[in-house]
Amino acid sequence: MRLTRRAALLGLGCAMARGHASLALAAAPTERRFVVVLLRGGLDGLAVVVPQGDRDLARWRAPLVPEGLLDLGGFYGLHPALAGLHHLYAAGEALAVQAVAGPDRSRSHFAAQDSLELGAGGHVIADGWLNRAAAELHAPALALGAGVPLLLRGPARVDSFLPEGAHHPPPDYYTAVLALHRDDGAAGAAMARALRERGFTEAALAGTELPHDRDAFPTLAEAAGKLLAAPDGPRIAALELGGWDTHVRQVPRLATALATLDRGLMALREALDPVWRRTAVLVVTEFGRTVRANGAAGSDHGTASIAFVLGGSIDGGRVAGTWPGLAPARLFENRDLQPTSDVRALAKGLLAAHLGLGPTALARVFPDSTSAPPMQRLLRT
Amino acid sequence: MAARYGLQMDMRTAVALVRFGLGRRASEPLPADPDAWLAGQLDGPDAALSRLATGSAGGLAALRADRREKRADGQPQRVRELFRTEAAAAGAWLIETPAPFRERLVWFWANHFTISLRRTPLHALAFAYVNEAIRPHVTGRFADMLLAVARHPAMLLYLDNAVSIGPHSPAGRLTGRGLNENFARECLELHTIGRDAGYSQADVTEFAALLTGWSIDRAEGRFAFFPRRHEPGTRVILGRRYAAGEDGGIAALRWLGTHPATYRRIAAQLARHFIADSPPPDAVARIAAVLHDTGGDLGAASRALLRLPAAWQTMRKLRTPFDYAVAALRALDLPAETRPFLPGVTRRLGQPWLTAPLPDGWVDTAAAWGDGELLLRRADWSIAVAARAGTRDPIATAEAALGPLLGAGTAQALRRAASRREALALLLASPEFFGR
């Protein structure tokens, strides 16, 4: 069965599907599902799983702490826009991992995303680690969105699928386009008018509010879940969401973006319900942000951030990882949250415990990563 | 020609690549001498002709076969496949050609003598038309191109001359059918002298009668003159007398194709396309004078255009959606298997390839394409197509495509973008990239 037909049978309008070969295999190699959600732009983990019990928090970033935190057991509070995730956490099906970073320390979006997706620093490898994992498992893999992210590129065949209504440019993209045309009167003004007709508010056009297509990412996530839940569907999938590069006015922007993320994750969980016990969803970003608020009520590129793992068998309901603290001497290079977990260790832990990859396979998926042994105790036993 | 790799692009080279070419392809070497590079593209035959093997005979055969076997679902399979193959090849050539200035001229003239896929049988003939009627004459004489256009099956179908029958011809008397003056009128109004030349309805009718019998031999799949459909008698067009017969039509087309009013009109169109929406009158006059002095030599006119100082003033034109799509795909320089299908892209951007709404073709001024929603569609498409570009470095891509045309503000925005994809999209949605 071809992907486009399969999507049609699932009632999903299809805007784009790439490739020719069959996705479905006669006998799928694993019944486990694995989804990676990439948050591009650098999520401020400290504003999401907030260390409210750390006495240094207020001195660095009082303006960035959201009100109405949801309790995560005392020391930490969860951003109030993540009510759905909080519910999963309470049910023990969501795990937060604190102070996670990839091997890159450049604070460059491009270099850090490359490193996160390649699963290695430097130029040791050219393909995405999730593609290598799919190859090890002989598992059909799918990129949800317009094109295949680096994470899923490589020798193993990967289809991409963009359901109708799920096209979602990074939320501040059109504001950035308008800014480019600021000095070019005619085109800039014409595009601003057209964006108003598309429903952009004046605040969104001015860049003081984050415009958000509230439905695109949830639509994408729901499609991902439906495809993955099908018995002959893909087993591995990746999707992404932008809008995290909150240099200015972080509090309202982050609230909007997190609400969209939360709706998407809940749509994914709902669609995956029949296989939720056999599912793991990894949510990661390329870097965290500065511990100090900057001068524009935002934060700048940093190092360690938060990661989440969701799933019916995840040993959740807790914040894992080692809390490095926010005391001045504990900051990385006197500005960022000190990384205490390697994102490769987290991914390797999931590939081992959830998908059953052995040490040699893990070494092929993440070469040169002996310094990042698989994280333990991710699944309930 | 000596090529330069890894050197800084100077402004004249950038203008040559962007304004006269199709935008720089990322892997394209920089020309050593931009003036010589442009002029050199006008020498010799069009290299595409040896690569793009298409023919109207094959197209007409596919059309006939589809009609013969038309199934219940009405899917014209052969023509569809032929069109897909030819559009993919022509789209690839737009990206890979070593002579992008010449290719610009090809599509400029194809638009001047527009045909449109709104007439669906033309899917079978559109690329054959460009290759057979336009490409061979882009550096030749205008009147030769006009004659090739008038005789091409695509134009004969598009403007209906194939079914125009002299009412007093044997075929006309037998069938009761008569003139169709569609081509004759558009030839006078759009292809040659223009309405200001002061022809009358009688001139149109006389010209149409003179061109009766110019049609398609369906068995051979090419142009033929059918004497039995030809209106008998001498015709008078703008005071000039033409004897009946095929040669009369040829003589009339040659007269129109070498008329000073025609030269002025095509000079103005060339200047509007390459220089500015309102080109300087002396630039138009210079190109018209060269056409006049050379008997309508389009190669000489194109060389004259390159020597006009006004043509080198930068960034005065808004790219049409077609030019924009091609330039963006050249800048991204995607591997062939991940390139989007160009007809789909141009449709999405508001200017479906070879599908002008009317016989006057697409306008190429900012007034036609500067609408906000149309410009936003470029931004929409940019972020979508950038997802195909993988790990391409946005700054390097911008510098390769634009050189000194890249503004500091845009360069800074690219460096600050939250992902490679967003940075590449911003490049393609920048003012520098919208214009040429």
Side-chain angles (χ1 to χ4, degrees):
Chain A
M1 183 186 292
R2 284 179 53 134
L3 175 61
T4 45
R5 243 185 84 217
R6 133 142 312 272
L9 290 175
L10 289 167
L12 301 167
C14 175
M16 192 182 93
R18 211 168 61 98
H20 310 282
S22 165
L23 237 193
L25 305 178
T30 173
E31 284 302 311
R32 302 294 180 104
R33 270 63 166 184
F34 186 46
V35 186
V36 177
V37 180
L38 281 178
L39 305 181
R40 288 192 198 275
L43 170 68
D44 184 15
L46 291 175
V48 175
V49 173
V50 182
Q52 55 190 356
D54 192 301
R55 61 196 177 94
D56 289 306
L57 180 71
R59 69 189 275 188
W60 302 127
R61 48 164 47 222
L64 300 183
V65 177
E67 289 178 12
L69 291 176
L70 308 170
D71 182 48
L72 293 180
F75 186 80
Y76 294 108
L78 186 68
H79 193 289
L82 294 171
L85 186 62
H86 188 248
H87 187 74
L88 280 189
Y89 184 96
E93 296 180 350
L95 172 74
V97 186
Q98 190 54 272
V100 175
D104 181 82
R105 292 288 178 271
S106 68
R107 301 190 182 93
S108 150
H109 291 300
F110 306 157
Q113 286 171 30
D114 282 359
S115 159
L116 174 65
E117 296 177 76
L118 296 170
H123 297 282
V124 297
I125 205 153
D127 305 315
W129 64 262
L130 195 55
N131 185 287
R132 292 193 294 280
E136 293 289 345
L137 293 157
H138 305 287
L142 178 67
L144 275 292
V148 179
L150 179 60
L151 177 70
L152 263 177
R153 288 185 188 221
R157 250 194 63 82
V158 173
D159 284 290
S160 76
F161 176 66
L162 179 62
E164 259 167 45
H167 176 62
H168 64 112
D172 45 4
Y173 171 64
Y174 291 100
T175 318
V177 170
L178 277 194
L180 287 180
H181 289 265
R182 197 172 333 171
D183 301 328
D184 170 30
M191 284 194 285
R193 278 194 302 276
L195 283 170
R196 275 185 208 106
E197 281 174 27
R198 288 189 183 183
F200 278 61
T201 63
E202 294 304 320
L205 291 178
T208 54
E209 173 191 296
L210 199 62
H212 226 77
D213 183 342
R214 288 173 45 80
D215 295 327
F217 180 71
T219 302
L220 192 71
E222 184 185 2
K226 283 184 176 174
L227 289 163
L228 284 158
D232 57 351
R235 293 294 185 264
I236 287 176
L239 53 164
E240 57 186 66
L241 180 64
W244 311 106
D245 197 19
T246 46
H247 289 282
V248 292
R249 295 175 55 80
Q250 169 168 310
V251 168
R253 284 171 165 244
L254 205 52
T256 318
L258 287 170
T260 302
L261 174 66
D262 196 58
R263 287 183 60 219
L265 292 176
M266 291 312 107
L268 183 67
R269 191 254 168 273
E270 175 77 23
L272 281 168
D273 190 65
V275 292
W276 186 239
R277 278 176 43 74
R278 299 195 294 270
T279 295
V281 180
L282 173 64
V283 185
V284 283
T285 187
E286 76 261 31
F287 51 57
R289 307 191 73 84
T290 46
V291 170
R292 294 177 185 86
N294 68 14
S299 56
D300 295 321
H301 300 180
T303 306
S305 186
I306 195 80
F308 292 100
V309 186
L310 325 176
S313 300
I314 297 301
D315 187 9
R318 60 195 177 96
V319 180
T322 303
W323 176 242
L326 293 177
R330 293 297 303 152
L331 301 189
F332 177 67
E333 296 180 355
N334 187 32
R335 53 175 275 155
D336 303 340
L337 184 65
Q338 176 77 46
T340 53
S341 292
D342 190 312
V343 70
R344 295 171 298 176
L346 174 56
K348 284 164 78 174
L350 285 170
L351 292 179
H354 179 64
L355 294 168
L357 286 191
T360 47
L362 286 179
R364 284 191 293 266
V365 175
F366 287 101
D368 295 341
S369 68
T370 45
S371 62
M375 208 176 275
Q376 303 297 311
R377 229 194 109 203
L378 296 173
L379 264 60
R380 284 196 299 275
T381 48
Chain B
M1 179 174 296
R4 298 178 297 173
Y5 287 93
L7 294 182
Q8 284 289 320
M9 196 194 302
D10 59 51
M11 187 55 90
R12 197 165 179 90
T13 303
V15 175
L17 289 159
V18 169
R19 159 149 284 210
F20 294 107
L22 295 159
R24 174 134 184 256
R25 186 184 180 197
S27 60
E28 187 177 12
L30 286 176
D33 173 346
D35 292 82
W37 176 70
L38 290 169
Q41 297 177 32
L42 303 172
D43 298 336
D46 188 332
L49 289 172
S50 58
R51 281 194 32 157
L52 305 174
T54 69
S56 40
L60 286 166
L63 200 56
R64 255 200 336 272
D66 275 352
R67 283 181 175 161
R68 199 167 51 233
E69 299 167 17
K70 192 162 183 172
R71 297 168 313 204
D73 61 4
Q75 293 288 337
Q77 211 52 45
R78 282 186 182 78
V79 170
R80 178 184 301 234
E81 277 164 24
L82 182 74
F83 178 77
R84 280 201 74 87
T85 306
E86 294 190 339
W93 181 251
L94 278 158
I95 290 168
E96 294 161 7
T97 175
F101 175 47
R102 188 173 185 134
E103 196 66 10
R104 278 277 298 284
L105 289 166
V106 165
W107 294 100
F108 167 80
W109 289 114
N111 187 57
H112 174 81
F113 290 113
T114 202
I115 56 161
S116 177
L117 298 175
R118 290 189 172 201
R119 298 287 286 265
T120 54
L122 291 185
H123 283 85
L125 294 168
F127 290 101
Y129 172 71
V130 174
N131 294 337
E132 292 167 349
I134 305 296
R135 287 189 187 278
H137 305 292
V138 158
T139 58
R141 291 189 192 282
F142 179 78
D144 291 338
M145 189 187 286
L146 174 65
L147 196 60
V149 163
R151 300 164 76 128
H152 197 275
M155 185 59 82
L156 289 164
L157 287 176
Y158 175 55
L159 292 178
D160 305 313
N161 207 73
V163 297
S164 182
I165 291 171
H168 305 100
S169 68
R173 284 201 299 270
L174 195 67
T175 62
R177 286 156 63 185
L179 292 184
N180 184 316
E181 61 185 38
N182 197 2
F183 175 76
R185 180 183 305 282
E186 306 302 15
C187 182
L188 289 167
E189 180 178 336
L190 303 174
H191 299 162
T192 62
I193 56 179
R195 294 185 67 173
D196 294 343
Y199 54 85
S200 67
Q201 174 58 44
D203 293 317
V204 172
T205 309
E206 287 286 279
F207 189 30
L210 185 61
L211 292 176
T212 49
W214 290 46
S215 189
I216 303 163
D217 182 331
R218 306 255 170 184
E220 295 288 326
R222 56 179 165 79
F223 169 81
F225 178 71
F226 294 84
R228 281 178 50 77
R229 304 183 200 172
H230 187 64
E231 182 73 356
T234 299
R235 309 259 76 89
V236 180
I237 303 163
L238 284 160
R240 299 175 64 87
R241 300 173 69 79
Y242 297 94
E246 185 183 5
D247 289 346
I250 293 172
L253 284 165
R254 287 212 175 279
W255 184 75
L256 290 167
T258 54
H259 195 287
T262 301
Y263 291 154
R264 281 194 297 275
R265 285 189 68 248
I266 61 178
Q269 286 172 11
L270 266 173
R272 191 175 306 122
H273 182 69
F274 282 101
I275 301 176
D277 289 355
S278 302
D282 57 341
V284 177
R286 176 69 203 138
I287 298 170
V290 168
L291 284 165
H292 193 269
D293 294 346
T294 59
D297 185 328
L298 299 180
S302 304
R303 287 185 189 88
L305 168 77
L306 294 176
R307 288 192 296 268
L308 290 170
W312 291 86
Q313 293 177 19
T314 55
M315 303 299 285
R316 291 167 51 168
K317 289 284 289 186
L318 180 69
R319 276 176 166 140
T320 64
F322 176 80
D323 283 353
Y324 170 78
V326 171
L329 294 174
R330 288 172 64 88
L332 293 179
D333 210 3
L334 302 169
E337 64 276 12
T338 60
R339 278 181 209 151
F341 187 52
L342 190 54
V345 177
T346 57
R347 181 167 302 282
R348 183 167 173 180
L349 297 177
Q351 189 189 19
W353 198 9
L354 287 165
T355 313
L358 290 168
D360 56 353
W362 298 107
V363 186
D364 68 359
T365 59
W369 301 115
D371 171 73
E373 175 60 27
L374 279 178
L375 295 177
L376 271 190
R377 284 196 215 169
R378 300 184 188 199
D380 298 340
W381 178 72
S382 294
I383 190 73
V385 76
R388 300 184 184 215
T391 56
R392 178 134 323 155
D393 179 50
I395 308 296
T397 304
E399 286 170 351
L402 296 168
L405 295 170
L406 177 65
T410 297
Q412 190 183 47
L414 300 192
R415 275 189 281 272
R416 285 185 177 170
S419 67
R420 284 182 202 281
R421 177 187 176 196
E422 195 169 352
L424 283 170
L426 288 175
L427 166 65
L428 301 185
S430 68
E432 292 94 320
F433 220 90
F434 278 6
R436 59 171 170 78

